[in-house]
Amino acid sequence: MKTADADAAPTTDQSKPASRTDIADARRAPQPWTWVTALLAGVLLAQLGTMMVRNPNFEWDVVARHLFDTRILHGLLVTCYLTVLAMAIGVIFGGVLAAFRITANPVLRAFAAGYIWVFRGTPQLVQLIFWFNIALLMPKIGIGIPFGPVFWEADANAVITPFFAAVVGLGLHEAAYQAEIYRAGLLAVDEGQTDAARSIGMKPMTIFVKIRLPQAMRFIVPPTFSQIIGMTKATSLVSVIGGAELLFSAQEIFSDTFQTIPLLIVACIWYLVLTTVLNFFQYFIEAYYAKGATRAVPTNAGTWIARRVSRLRSRGPERTEANPQ
Amino acid sequence: MSDLPLLSIRDLHKRYGTTEVLRGISLDVARGETVAVLGASGSGKSTMLRCVNHLERPDSGSISLGGELVGFTTTRRGPRMLTETEIARQRSRTGMVFQNFNLFPHWTVLRNVTEGPVRVRGLDRSEARELGLRLLATVGLEERASSYPKHLSGGQQQRVSIARALAMDPELLLFDEPTSALDPANVGEVTSVMKRLADGGSTMIVVTHEIGFARAAATRVVVIADGLVVEDGPTQQVLDAPRSPVTQTFLENTLYGARTTGANER
C-alpha cells in the first residue's frame, strides 16, 4: 500500500484506473429514437411553417392589424372580468357546498348533493342559455319574504343582461366542480389528523378551519388553477348569448369583413396569452404547495418561463439556503 | 369520592359490520394507576382505547370518566348522544398518543403543543407558550420548538405528541401502541418519558407490545383477546405467573420475538 510514489503522485494516478468503474464520468445510454423523432418533428415543423407563411389565406397582415383593435381589446377585458367573477362565485360557493357535504346536517348534505347532481350533470352552454332566458320562466324578479310581502321587484328582462347571465351561469356551474375539488382535497388529508385534533378537544368547526382545510389546500390549489384556465376558455361560450367577450368581438369584426380565419387567430393568440400567464402563476403556486413533496411540476410554456424567472431570482445577491418554513 | 375509579368501563360492545370487535369488556382504572393493555393484533385493545375518548362510539355498555358518562348523557327519557361540541369538552379531560404520532404537519413543534391550550383551555398565547416550552423541556425537545414535525425523528415526534397530550392537563392519558411505528433504536427515548410520567403519578392506559415497558412501568396488566378481558392483575403476577392459557401463549410468542430481535427493555 505505502510506496514512496504514493505521496508524490497522488490523485491523478489513482483516479485513472478508477475511472473505468467510477460511474461519475459515465456517458448517457444511447437514445437513437430521440434523434429519429427529432428529425421527423423537424421536417413536420418546417412543413407547417412554410404552409403558414406561404398560404395567403392566413392573412397575417389582417392578424397584425386586428391584434390590438380596440374592439378586440375590449372583448379581452370582458373575458378577464367574466373569468374572475365566475371563478370567485365558484370558489366561494363551492367551498360552502363542500362544507355542506361533510356536515352532520342531513338537509344541508342533501341540498349540496342535489345541487352538484344538477349543475354538474347538465351542459354549461345549456345552463348559460337557460339563465339568459330566465325571464320566460319568471318575468318578474323580486326580493321579499316567501309567501309574504315583496320589498323590491324588477322586470327580469332588464336585470338579466348577457353579462349578468354569463357570470351567474358560469359561476353556478363552476361551484359544483369546485365543491368536488374541495371534497377530494379534504378526503386526501389523513384521518389521523382529525383523530388527533379531536383528542385534544377541538370542536368540529375548529378542526375544519385549522386542521383539515389548510392541509387540503395542497390538493385543492392545483386543480383549481386548471379550472381557472378552463374558465378562461369557457367564457367564449358567452358569445352565444351575445356577451361582448373576446370571441364575440372577433365574430363581430369578421361578420362584416369575412376575414374569419385571421380573426379567429387573433382570438386564439389572446387566449394563449391569458392561459400562459396563468400557467406562469401556477408554477409558483404549485411549487409553494408541493413543499416537501418530490413530485415535479409539469412543463409548458408558462412554467418554462416561470422556472427561468425563479432561477434568475435565486442567482441574486441574497442567495440563502431554502427556507424550511 | 376518591374510592371511585377514575375510569369505569362496563360491558362494552362494538361491532364493525359483522365483526364483533368488543364483546363485553369491563375495566376499572383508579387515579394514579398505569395500566398496560396487552393482546394480539386485532384483539380489540385499540378499539377499546378509542372508545374511552369517544373517537369510536360503542354499540352498548357504558364508559364513565370521573362519574360522567362519556359520549352520552342520561335524561328522563333515557340516555341521549352528546353533540360533537359537548363531546369535545369531555375529550379535553383525556390526552391521547397515537401509533403514527399524528402531529399537525403545517405547524411548528411548539404550536402543535400550544394550540390545544389556546383553543380549548382558553389560555392566552404567552401562557400557552410558556407551558409549551416547559413541556417540551420535560420531553427533552425544547431546542426543537421552532422545527416542523417532518424534520424530527420518529422518537422525537412521539415525544412531541406526548407533550401535546400533556398540554391539556389531562386526568387520564391514553397511549395507542406508542412505540409500534418507531425504529427499535428510538423506542427507549419514548418509553423512558412514559416511565417518568407513570412514576410521577399520572393515570395512564398504555396499549403496547413492549412487555419490557409493562414490567418496568405498569402497576397493572390487562390482557385482551377476541374482544374480552382474559386476564387482569398486578404486573408481576400477570407477567410471571399468568393464569389464562391465552396470556401464556401470548407472552411466550412475544418474548421469543423480543429476544430474537434483541429489542429488550431494562
Side-chain angles (χ1 to χ4, degrees):
Chain A
M1 274 288 267
K2 280 188 181 176
T3 62
D5 283 311
D7 289 327
T11 46
T12 44
D13 269 6
Q14 280 171 352
S15 68
K16 248 183 192 167
S19 72
R20 219 173 275 169
T21 49
D22 187 354
I23 53 139
D25 316 318
R27 283 174 292 116
R28 282 166 164 277
Q31 292 178 315
W33 287 107
T34 306
W35 295 105
V36 174
T37 46
L39 195 70
L40 272 172
V43 171
L44 288 173
L45 215 59
Q47 199 177 15
L48 185 70
T50 345
M51 194 266 283
M52 284 172 82
V53 174
R54 288 250 184 93
N55 188 333
N57 295 336
F58 274 103
E59 301 184 79
W60 291 106
D61 55 321
V62 180
V63 172
R65 213 161 348 112
H66 285 99
L67 197 56
F68 296 100
D69 189 310
T70 46
R71 283 169 293 181
I72 293 287
L73 292 182
H74 182 262
L76 180 67
L77 204 62
V78 172
T79 290
C80 292
Y81 282 148
L82 279 175
T83 307
V84 169
L85 289 174
M87 268 324 282
I89 291 178
V91 164
I92 294 166
F93 190 39
V96 173
L97 284 172
F100 280 7
R101 278 208 106 172
I102 60 168
T103 56
N105 186 329
V107 180
L108 296 182
R109 276 209 312 268
F111 170 79
Y115 181 95
I116 291 165
W117 176 59
V118 171
F119 281 83
R120 212 169 56 140
T122 55
Q124 221 170 353
L125 182 56
V126 176
Q127 288 180 32
L128 271 180
I129 300 172
F130 184 87
W131 285 109
F132 186 56
N133 291 297
I134 196 79
L136 299 176
L137 197 65
M138 294 181 290
K140 297 246 181 250
I141 293 175
I143 295 172
I145 297 166
F147 308 109
V150 176
F151 305 130
W152 176 86
E153 199 176 53
D155 197 16
N157 267 326
V159 179
I160 310 289
T161 61
F163 189 81
F164 186 91
V167 169
V168 171
L170 293 173
L172 295 186
H173 176 266
E174 183 58 30
Y177 276 88
Q178 281 296 325
E180 289 297 279
I181 288 173
Y182 280 106
R183 195 172 65 94
L186 290 166
L187 285 178
V189 178
D190 181 22
E191 270 186 72
Q193 292 292 309
T194 310
D195 282 348
R198 280 177 168 169
S199 81
I200 55 172
M202 282 190 178
K203 294 186 181 125
M205 198 56 171
T206 314
I207 298 174
F208 181 76
V209 175
K210 291 283 164 186
I211 305 291
R212 296 183 68 190
L213 201 55
Q215 294 186 59
M217 287 312 283
R218 262 190 66 192
F219 307 101
I220 291 171
V221 168
T224 299
F225 240 88
S226 289
Q227 291 294 111
I228 300 178
I229 291 168
M231 179 61 81
T232 309
K233 295 178 294 171
T235 54
S236 64
L237 294 174
V238 175
S239 63
V240 173
I241 57 169
E245 47 69 65
L246 182 54
L247 178 62
F248 188 81
S249 305
Q251 282 173 330
E252 249 186 348
I253 298 172
F254 73 63
S255 63
D256 286 343
T257 63
F258 300 106
Q259 292 157 327
T260 310
I261 294 293
L263 275 142
L264 286 179
I265 290 174
V266 166
C268 282
I269 288 173
W270 281 117
Y271 282 121
L272 264 175
V273 168
L274 289 181
T275 52
T276 306
V277 169
L278 287 169
N279 281 328
F280 177 83
F281 286 115
Q282 184 175 18
Y283 174 83
F284 288 106
I285 288 178
E286 278 201 31
Y288 176 81
Y289 280 103
K291 282 180 307 185
T294 44
R295 190 166 39 99
V297 180
T299 304
N300 58 43
T303 60
W304 186 84
I305 300 167
R307 206 167 284 156
R308 262 134 203 92
V309 170
S310 68
R311 249 183 238 161
L312 275 179
R313 281 202 318 190
S314 67
R315 248 181 242 142
E318 293 165 87
R319 187 171 179 176
T320 51
E321 185 79 344
N323 193 344
Q325 143 81 27
Chain B
M1 190 64 199
S2 60
D3 288 2
L4 272 174
L6 174 63
L7 176 75
S8 178
I9 302 175
R10 283 284 162 276
D11 198 26
L12 204 66
H13 287 258
K14 169 84 185 168
R15 58 162 69 232
Y16 294 114
T18 54
T19 330
E20 227 178 341
V21 187
L22 303 179
R23 301 192 299 152
I25 286 202
S26 296
L27 185 69
D28 282 342
V29 178
R31 273 178 215 281
E33 267 193 302
T34 299
V35 178
V37 180
L38 307 179
S41 304
S43 59
K45 52 196 192 316
S46 284
T47 305
M48 179 201 75
L49 202 69
R50 289 168 62 85
C51 285
V52 171
N53 62 354
H54 213 71
L55 290 181
E56 305 281 348
R57 177 190 297 150
D59 295 333
S60 66
S62 71
I63 297 177
S64 49
L65 182 70
E68 191 183 2
L69 213 51
V70 174
F72 300 84
T73 182
T74 42
T75 67
R76 251 175 298 165
R77 292 191 295 141
R80 138 177 111 68
M81 293 176 191
L82 295 178
T83 65
E84 267 296 313
T85 310
E86 290 168 325
I87 296 168
R89 188 189 52 76
Q90 286 189 332
R91 287 192 184 118
S92 68
R93 300 176 58 184
T94 59
M96 191 172 212
V97 174
F98 298 86
Q99 181 176 354
N100 296 314
F101 331 133
N102 295 343
L103 292 178
F104 306 123
H106 56 308
W107 288 341
T108 62
V109 162
L110 182 62
R111 192 155 178 216
N112 264 277
V113 179
T114 57
E115 204 67 10
V118 169
R119 304 225 165 249
V120 181
R121 289 175 64 194
L123 267 62
D124 65 48
R125 289 257 167 218
S126 62
E127 281 177 310
R129 195 186 146 77
E130 210 172 291
L131 171 71
L133 287 172
R134 203 182 69 229
L135 289 171
L136 286 175
T138 65
V139 299
L141 284 170
E142 65 190 322
E143 77 281 8
R144 302 309 299 268
S146 53
S147 305
Y148 280 82
K150 68 176 171 196
H151 298 299
L152 268 54
S153 72
Q156 290 174 327
Q157 289 192 47
Q158 195 60 301
R159 285 187 281 152
V160 173
S161 95
I162 293 174
R164 174 175 70 181
L166 290 174
M168 297 308 294
D169 195 16
E171 295 166 64
L172 172 65
L173 279 167
L174 309 168
F175 292 83
D176 189 3
E177 302 198 23
T179 56
S180 299
L182 297 177
D183 271 348
N186 284 336
V187 169
E189 64 187 72
V190 172
T191 50
S192 74
V193 168
M194 290 164 61
K195 169 99 168 68
R196 236 183 304 137
L197 288 173
D199 293 346
S202 299
T203 315
M204 297 162 55
I205 304 178
V206 185
V207 169
T208 186
H209 293 296
E210 294 288 326
I211 310 276
F213 169 77
R215 186 181 294 281
T219 51
R220 221 171 106 202
V221 171
V222 170
V223 181
I224 292 181
D226 294 324
L228 288 169
V229 173
V230 294
E231 187 133 9
D232 180 352
T235 303
Q236 241 185 336
Q237 183 240 296
V238 175
L239 294 183
D240 294 338
R243 291 191 190 124
S244 154
V246 180
T247 312
Q248 286 162 12
T249 328
F250 175 77
L251 287 176
E252 272 164 28
N253 292 341
T254 314
L255 285 177
Y256 178 73
R259 256 181 231 130
T260 48
T261 55
N264 240 340
E265 272 303 295
R266 40 179 186 102

